[in-house]
Amino acid sequence: MSARPALHFVGFRGDEYSAALRIFGPPDFIHIGWDRWARQEVMPGDIAVFARGTADDEPSVYSVPDLRER
């Protein structure tokens, strides 16, 4: 039995999230930005959907928080 690939949303901040949700369905992981931690969590075979850029882009040298509280 093989596990299905995880779905990652990366860098979504506005209305594009709703569009991605309609197209791809709910993500397994949401990454606020593309940093080395997010890159480490995307495993071979996973699907990463980016608001801007691609997985080939160099990750930010700064860490992005996983959770934003208002």
Side-chain angles (χ1 to χ4, degrees):
M1 181 175 159
S2 63
R4 70 173 179 80
L7 176 62
H8 302 259
F9 281 3
V10 182
F12 288 89
R13 288 181 171 40
D15 292 335
E16 69 271 7
Y17 177 83
S18 298
L21 197 59
R22 282 193 306 274
I23 294 167
F24 296 99
D28 297 301
F29 300 95
I30 297 173
H31 308 284
I32 294 174
W34 187 235
D35 61 6
R36 63 187 178 126
W37 302 108
R39 183 183 201 181
Q40 187 174 323
E41 289 184 7
V42 177
M43 297 287 118
D46 284 356
I47 300 166
V49 180
F50 288 76
R52 290 179 202 81
T54 71
D56 294 329
D57 293 346
E58 194 64 31
S60 173
V61 295
Y62 302 104
S63 292
V64 179
D66 288 332
L67 175 66
R68 286 206 177 146
E69 296 182 20
R70 293 181 186 236

